[in-house]
Amino acid sequence: MSNPPDIVTGETETYPQMGESEALPEPPEKPTPSRRRTLHDMWVSGTEAPVDTGRFTDEGAQEMLAEEEPDVLAGQRGTLVVDDYDEAAVSDEETQIVNMGPQHPATHGVLRLQLELEGETIRRVKPIIGYLHTGMERTGEALTFMQGPTNVTRMDYLSPFHNELCFSLAVERLLDLEVPPRARAIRILMTELNRVASHLLWAATTGLDIGALSMMIYGWREREACLAFFEKTTGLRMNHNYIRPGGVAADLPDGWEDDLVAIEETVLEGLADYEGLLMENPIFLERTQGVGVLTPEECYAYGVTGVLARASGIDFDIRKTFPYSGIEQYEFDVPTAEHGDVYDRFVLRFEEVRQSLGIVRQAAESMPLGDYRSEDRKVTPPPRARIDQSMEALIHHFKIFTEGFKVPEGEVYQAVESPRGELGMYIVSNGGAKPWRIHVRGPSFAHVQALPAMLTDSLIADTIAALASADPVMGDVDR
Amino acid sequence: MTLSAYLPIALMFLLVVGFAGISMVLSRSLAPHNPTPEKLDPYECGIVPLQEPLQRFPVKFYLVAMLFVIFDIEIVFLFAWAARFVDLGWYGVAAVGIFTLLLIETLVYVWKRGALDWNVQHRARYRRVVAVDAAKEAA
Amino acid sequence: MTRDAALSHDALAEQFPAAEFGESYGQRIVRVPRKDLVAFVAAARDIGFRMFIDVCGVDYLRRSPRFEVVIELLSLEPPSRLRILVGVPGDDPSLPSITGVFAGADFYERETYDMFGIVFEGHPDLTRILLPDDWEGHPLRKDAPVGAVPVQFKGSNQAT
Amino acid sequence: MSRPSAPPNILTAVLGKAVGWARTRSMWPASFGLACCAIEMMATGAAHNDLARFGMEVFRASPRQADLMIVAGRVSQKMAPVLRQVYDQMAEPKWVISMGACASTGGMFNNYALVQGVDQVVPVDVYVPGCPPGPQGLIHGILTLQNRISAGEYAVR
């Protein structure tokens, strides 16, 4: 069984299977530590005999055990990096392991948290992920470089433009291809608008989780304005496949300037409403201040980037330290705070929406003219009309759309500042038309891993607020 | 009080019992009834439950339940007074005032004993956040 | 990457003679033998690469050390990135785990084990993370079946 | 799986139609948001294209109070047993809408990780095409299901 056959030639790219290759020696199966029960035996309530667990989910080995080794226990308590856990104050009340499982309204997707509860206080947390694993990195290896953005844009479905931009920048660095200034400006404009839309959705769902139900309605109202502009430009509300290696798919529609002005107005107006609604609300302050705290050392150790790191006082924003796609010409600043709790993350994200709107305005005003795709006809298909006139354009068109353009051999790591943090892509190319390996470093993966450090020893209600403030997108985590 | 005075109450009672009865009978007869083992399982967010749900809940839960009962019943007593408070005049207000004061006293006692706060914060990081704010106010 | 200030590049170089430094598209890479990986990562963290970014695996099917584990580190004061490449042979796919140096490597190493079958010695809890427990095989290996369902479209050449 | 239905006569036909009509007036969806389609499902529930017009704006978290399960997103092999468990725990007149290409047929991810079509796990009533289907597409799917139910096609399942 190998990848689907090539469209034109029909022959399949056969990799040596286990049998026919020169008998790759079977690696000795290293016994993983056996103390994890491989398949937990279970008593279904109401029956006497243990039930055959064939049909049930058997994440036995990944689940939390009652007694754990000291190092595993430290990991689940989140005291690996900063050990401020007051052992003495833990009473010996009976604890209970509860599932905040894959189908849960407040886990922002299919994340499963196993919590050990002592009354309402959480003693240990073990995140279990993989419920949305789509094998995208394997699918990426079967698609050509030009089809890559369609696969990659579905990973972090709240910021599709950032995925596409990161992939395209990485491929362009491999190709050593220069993208015209208009394409670079359009890319920055779309990704920053995408950051606004993503933060609006985050504010809506987090407000809903914390109890400010009307936030859900307001947040979506502004986001619809942004999505309408995306649909007008790229044709789709989400998963656009708009930013491609070599430029963007289409030019901006006419009348885009006043669309952007209208968007900026509604979003800023909406933002003023949210801050009026939330920022001085005593219930909101009680629910968010001093909750879900991450210390800077933990951010360094766990690889937590983006708003969570800036809330803890680390001044790191890829748009400033490793500028990409010409963003250094726009003037914006990166707010930071020092508590690292949920309230600071709220303040920072609202401030980031304002900064991004500023960038969008500057990009709109100084939008250079010219082509929106690179001139190198080997990479970007020629305009449709040219194909009828010139034979060479026809050949280019045929070559690009059947077997795809060849990317020289090499490996590259490109990072972009997505609304959740550092989104990195490590692409290895073996000189062919399909990438040999794509690894996507999702920011939410590191944030889910830092959850035990944020959640232990707080109340269950605080879990919801802290988890929502980390803004994990499960497509980003499980890929 | 002639019998007719009680007519509206009787009518109301019939209406209530009738509505409840009809809706139960209708839903029992029309809705499909199909208890499967999965439905009888406790719901754990889609995961099949590992072990029996904990029988003995920590005592804090019962404490909160009892406090709720006390203050809820207090409101029920106020209903009687609220129905005729115009005729009862100041005498009524005084009586209810003493009753409420008694309960406020229990509330203060319970609050001071710390039965209401759940927030057991052992980790230094939570205290650090408060300290940073306090320091800022002081400065 | 162009503003990549040269960290004390030579500080690492003479501590670890076996490490070959290089450059790939503007980012500094270093190839380290398996046995002194943990020491190298600890040294890198001490001289400035404090932020742990990523660990991932790559399966170069026909190359002599078949697998490769790629570790990304980041330093903030002179903003620069470092990529550590470790060759892992196909017949003995194991290497020491760096969870001792960076606590954040835990989930990444479990994912690399899950996808490639590379065992990380010294990892506190090496179990699968993305796939269910009873899953046989490691899907991201090049010789693992893609598991694609053959498309019923009559005209297409039948997939194997 | 359900009670044998009596032979259709004038009384039960009218009653059947009335019951069918009543069931569609406020079908509460179980919030089974998985991936990108869940974002569009939430957009459908929000103010702009409002699901409350059909009495469906409250997404019940627990399957006990849900009548309709909208499988919004790609179902991975690890999630399939959970999906089946939640479906089993839903009360009896229950329907399933498979929203989006990934739920209906595995979509563009034809590989080891996804269940190629959620009808291998739960019986599906309406398939909504699109990747992700816009709010209008989802509402169209819901209306089709409601017309079918009030017409009596899925009377009791």
Side-chain angles (χ1 to χ4, degrees):
Chain A
M1 284 283 280
S2 69
N3 291 336
D6 221 293
I7 302 161
V8 172
T9 53
E11 41 88 15
T12 56
E13 226 173 325
T14 54
Y15 295 114
Q17 296 311 317
M18 277 316 222
E20 27 169 305
S21 75
E22 61 292 336
L24 280 172
E26 185 52 42
E29 194 50 47
K30 272 221 162 28
T32 50
S34 60
R35 60 175 168 63
R36 308 288 308 183
R37 51 177 188 266
T38 50
L39 203 53
H40 52 81
D41 48 8
M42 260 194 326
W43 246 264
V44 177
S45 58
T47 61
E48 291 317 316
V51 174
D52 132 51
T53 60
R55 193 174 63 79
F56 299 131
T57 49
D58 49 10
E59 268 69 62
Q62 298 169 20
E63 279 173 358
M64 181 194 270
L65 286 178
E67 298 84 28
E68 289 280 6
E69 308 280 326
D71 48 7
V72 176
L73 190 65
Q76 288 171 2
R77 271 199 184 141
T79 55
L80 279 176
V81 180
V82 171
D83 189 353
D84 55 2
Y85 198 79
D86 184 349
E87 198 66 49
V90 177
S91 68
D92 50 13
E93 249 177 66
E94 191 175 321
T95 59
Q96 175 192 18
I97 294 184
V98 162
N99 244 316
M100 209 168 134
Q103 201 257 343
H104 189 280
T107 50
H108 284 248
V110 276
L111 165 71
R112 174 182 171 195
L113 291 179
Q114 278 206 302
L115 311 171
E116 185 189 28
L117 295 181
E118 184 206 304
E120 286 264 324
T121 318
I122 295 166
R123 285 287 163 260
R124 283 191 292 151
V125 176
K126 173 156 190 177
I128 297 174
I129 55 175
Y131 288 97
L132 193 62
H133 177 55
T134 330
M136 283 173 167
E137 291 177 354
R138 184 69 199 239
T139 309
E141 287 165 11
L143 296 175
T144 66
F145 277 100
M146 184 151 172
Q147 299 161 333
T150 48
N151 173 43
V152 161
T153 189
R154 283 167 173 76
M155 282 185 180
D156 177 349
Y157 39 78
L158 284 191
S159 57
F161 280 115
H162 291 275
N163 302 330
E164 292 166 13
L165 176 63
C166 196
F167 181 82
S168 304
L169 287 176
V171 171
E172 277 149 18
R173 274 175 63 196
L174 279 173
L175 285 167
D176 197 3
L177 176 75
E178 194 47 43
V179 177
R182 183 175 177 90
R184 292 151 60 109
I186 294 179
R187 283 178 170 181
I188 290 300
L189 185 134
M190 297 308 262
T191 44
E192 289 310 318
L193 203 56
N194 196 213
R195 188 188 312 279
V196 168
S198 166
H199 282 335
L200 288 178
L201 184 135
W202 168 80
T205 43
T206 307
L208 177 74
D209 285 348
I210 291 184
L213 294 178
S214 44
M215 262 316 289
M216 185 70 168
I217 305 296
Y218 294 152
W220 285 92
R221 180 187 57 187
E222 271 75 47
R223 182 179 155 88
E224 286 295 330
C226 296
L227 291 189
F229 180 72
F230 289 156
E231 189 167 15
K232 186 176 178 186
T233 320
T234 67
L236 276 166
R237 290 161 55 92
M238 287 169 62
N239 304 338
H240 316 285
N241 186 16
Y242 179 69
I243 298 177
R244 300 175 181 174
V248 279
D251 207 343
L252 290 169
D254 38 23
W256 57 274
E257 293 90 352
D258 25 32
D259 289 347
L260 286 180
V261 167
I263 286 178
E264 187 181 355
E265 246 165 58
T266 43
V267 173
L268 284 181
E269 206 181 281
L271 217 54
D273 291 350
Y274 309 157
E275 284 176 343
L277 174 72
L278 292 180
M279 283 309 156
E280 282 86 24
N281 181 333
I283 303 172
F284 180 76
L285 299 183
E286 191 66 37
R287 284 292 304 271
T288 52
Q289 283 181 338
V291 164
V293 178
L294 259 183
T295 57
E297 300 77 26
E298 272 158 356
C299 289
Y300 283 123
Y302 283 115
V304 169
T305 53
V307 171
L308 270 74
R310 288 193 284 276
S312 308
I314 301 175
D315 185 2
F316 168 58
D317 185 331
I318 296 183
R319 296 176 293 178
K320 288 286 185 188
T321 42
F322 303 106
Y324 50 85
S325 183
I327 198 166
E328 61 276 6
Q329 64 193 338
Y330 306 113
E331 195 263 324
F332 64 98
D333 57 10
V334 176
T336 57
E338 72 273 357
H339 300 310
D341 58 2
V342 174
Y343 184 77
D344 280 356
R345 292 170 195 152
F346 254 94
V347 169
L348 286 193
R349 283 201 171 106
F350 282 154
E351 188 48 36
E352 261 193 25
V353 167
R354 283 203 177 79
Q355 295 303 324
S356 294
L357 283 176
I359 298 177
V360 167
R361 189 174 359 95
Q362 290 171 51
E365 277 148 13
S366 68
M367 177 64 73
L369 298 176
D371 199 347
Y372 54 87
R373 288 190 301 199
S374 86
E375 284 314 314
D376 174 358
R377 278 299 169 245
K378 290 276 184 302
V379 174
T380 55
R384 188 71 190 77
R386 284 280 297 142
I387 292 178
D388 315 335
Q389 297 140 9
S390 98
M391 184 59 196
E392 187 209 30
L394 182 66
I395 296 171
H396 282 147
H397 187 276
F398 180 79
K399 288 291 267 182
I400 288 173
F401 280 106
T402 51
E403 71 189 32
F405 49 84
K406 296 256 183 303
V407 171
E409 191 157 346
E411 47 161 23
V412 71
Y413 178 81
Q414 169 69 37
V416 150
E417 179 71 24
S418 101
R420 268 150 284 290
E422 166 174 334
L423 169 71
M425 276 198 201
Y426 175 67
I427 296 184
V428 174
S429 155
N430 65 345
K434 294 174 181 163
W436 182 260
R437 168 80 162 108
I438 299 181
H439 172 70
V440 178
R441 189 262 178 199
S444 305
F445 191 82
H447 298 168
V448 161
Q449 191 180 349
L451 279 180
M454 283 204 299
L455 301 182
T456 19
D457 209 40
S458 56
L459 294 171
I460 298 185
D462 294 344
T463 321
I464 314 267
L467 179 62
S469 76
D471 193 8
V473 172
M474 293 318 288
D476 203 17
V477 173
D478 297 344
R479 291 178 305 280
Chain B
M1 290 284 269
T2 62
L3 197 58
S4 65
Y6 286 105
L7 199 59
I9 298 175
L11 216 59
M12 179 68 173
F13 180 74
L14 276 182
L15 260 180
V16 162
V17 168
F19 178 72
I22 287 171
S23 58
M24 271 170 55
V25 163
L26 263 187
S27 73
R28 195 81 178 92
S29 64
L30 287 182
H33 179 62
N34 180 5
T36 57
E38 286 82 15
K39 281 188 195 155
L40 304 179
D41 265 352
Y43 166 68
E44 279 219 10
C45 294
I47 299 293
V48 179
L50 274 174
Q51 75 271 13
E52 284 295 296
L54 185 71
Q55 305 314 339
R56 286 178 41 253
F57 276 87
V59 74
K60 262 201 183 300
F61 289 113
Y62 297 112
L63 203 59
V64 171
M66 274 189 290
L67 285 180
F68 166 73
V69 165
I70 296 169
F71 293 106
D72 201 28
I73 303 300
E74 171 200 359
I75 299 170
V76 168
F77 289 145
L78 292 187
F79 283 161
W81 165 69
R84 311 294 290 183
F85 73 94
V86 174
D87 313 341
L88 293 174
W90 288 109
Y91 168 72
V93 170
V96 156
I98 295 168
F99 173 67
T100 320
L101 272 180
L102 272 177
L103 279 154
I104 286 173
E105 195 260 344
T106 51
L107 175 63
V108 166
Y109 168 74
V110 155
W111 197 322
K112 282 292 170 288
R113 283 297 300 269
L116 293 184
D117 52 9
W118 275 94
N119 214 339
V120 200
Q121 293 203 340
H122 299 287
R123 300 187 71 161
R125 65 180 61 198
Y126 297 118
R127 290 190 288 277
R128 185 173 65 80
V129 168
V130 176
V132 165
D133 285 349
K136 217 188 303 179
E137 263 107 37
Chain C
M1 302 307 150
T2 50
R3 282 178 47 244
D4 212 332
L7 260 173
S8 56
H9 175 101
D10 35 34
L12 283 174
E14 93 287 338
Q15 258 180 10
F16 298 91
E20 314 124 16
F21 284 77
E23 181 89 15
S24 139
Y25 291 95
Q27 183 177 342
R28 302 195 9 266
I29 60 175
V30 59
R31 187 169 290 283
V32 172
R34 274 194 299 180
K35 56 186 180 349
D36 50 16
L37 168 67
V38 181
F40 185 87
V41 170
R45 186 182 62 163
D46 298 343
I47 66 165
F49 291 99
R50 293 171 52 195
M51 176 81 89
F52 165 81
I53 294 293
D54 184 19
V55 169
C56 79
V58 184
D59 177 6
Y60 295 99
L61 193 54
R62 291 185 185 79
R63 210 186 52 165
S64 72
R66 177 181 171 190
F67 295 107
E68 187 163 83
V69 172
V70 178
I71 300 171
E72 294 275 340
L73 297 180
L74 170 76
S75 93
L76 288 181
E77 292 71 43
S80 77
R81 290 181 188 278
L82 177 68
R83 189 185 315 145
I84 303 168
L85 307 168
V86 187
V88 175
D91 48 13
D92 158 27
S94 77
L95 78 160
S97 148
I98 60 168
T99 38
V101 180
F102 284 110
D106 180 343
F107 271 25
Y108 290 92
E109 284 175 355
R110 279 177 64 189
E111 184 194 351
T112 311
Y113 161 71
D114 193 354
M115 288 294 142
F116 289 94
I118 301 173
V119 175
F120 290 83
E121 282 126 6
H123 188 285
D125 171 22
L126 195 67
T127 55
R128 284 192 183 271
I129 190 168
L130 289 181
L131 289 168
D133 252 346
D134 53 3
W135 189 273
E136 289 93 21
H138 302 285
L140 267 186
R141 286 185 175 194
K142 280 297 179 185
D143 51 11
V146 175
V149 172
V151 176
Q152 264 69 33
F153 170 52
K154 293 300 166 287
S156 83
N157 333 71
Q158 209 43 33
T160 49
Chain D
M1 212 159 77
S2 63
R3 300 190 350 255
S5 62
N9 59 35
I10 188 65
L11 185 65
T12 52
V14 170
L15 191 62
K17 211 171 274 308
V19 164
W21 173 80
R23 281 193 178 138
T24 62
R25 280 314 92 197
S26 94
M27 291 159 58
W28 284 358
S31 56
F32 209 88
L34 297 162
C36 349
C37 289
I39 310 291
E40 287 299 70
M41 186 167 73
M42 283 196 271
T44 321
H48 193 68
N49 12 49
D50 196 353
L51 215 49
R53 292 175 277 161
F54 314 99
M56 301 177 60
E57 80 283 6
V58 58
F59 280 81
R60 300 309 296 169
S62 92
R64 313 294 194 204
Q65 305 139 0
D67 315 320
L68 161 72
M69 173 199 267
I70 303 181
V71 183
R74 37 194 193 247
V75 181
S76 72
Q77 306 282 359
K78 201 173 181 179
M79 192 65 188
V82 176
L83 181 84
R84 182 68 212 185
Q85 174 76 358
V86 169
Y87 177 75
D88 290 341
Q89 287 185 336
M90 280 166 73
E92 212 46 65
K94 53 190 173 187
W95 297 274
V96 173
I97 287 186
S98 147
M99 174 183 179
C102 292
S104 309
T105 62
M108 65 178 272
F109 304 111
N110 185 2
N111 57 21
Y112 62 93
L114 283 197
V115 174
Q116 300 297 316
V118 91
D119 39 23
Q120 299 170 4
V121 181
V122 284
V124 173
D125 298 313
V126 171
Y127 297 90
V128 179
C131 180
Q136 298 83 359
L138 179 59
I139 290 180
H140 176 65
I142 291 172
L143 289 184
T144 335
L145 180 68
Q146 287 187 346
N147 298 344
R148 288 257 191 85
I149 296 171
S150 44
E153 271 177 47
Y154 308 125
V156 175
R157 188 214 296 267

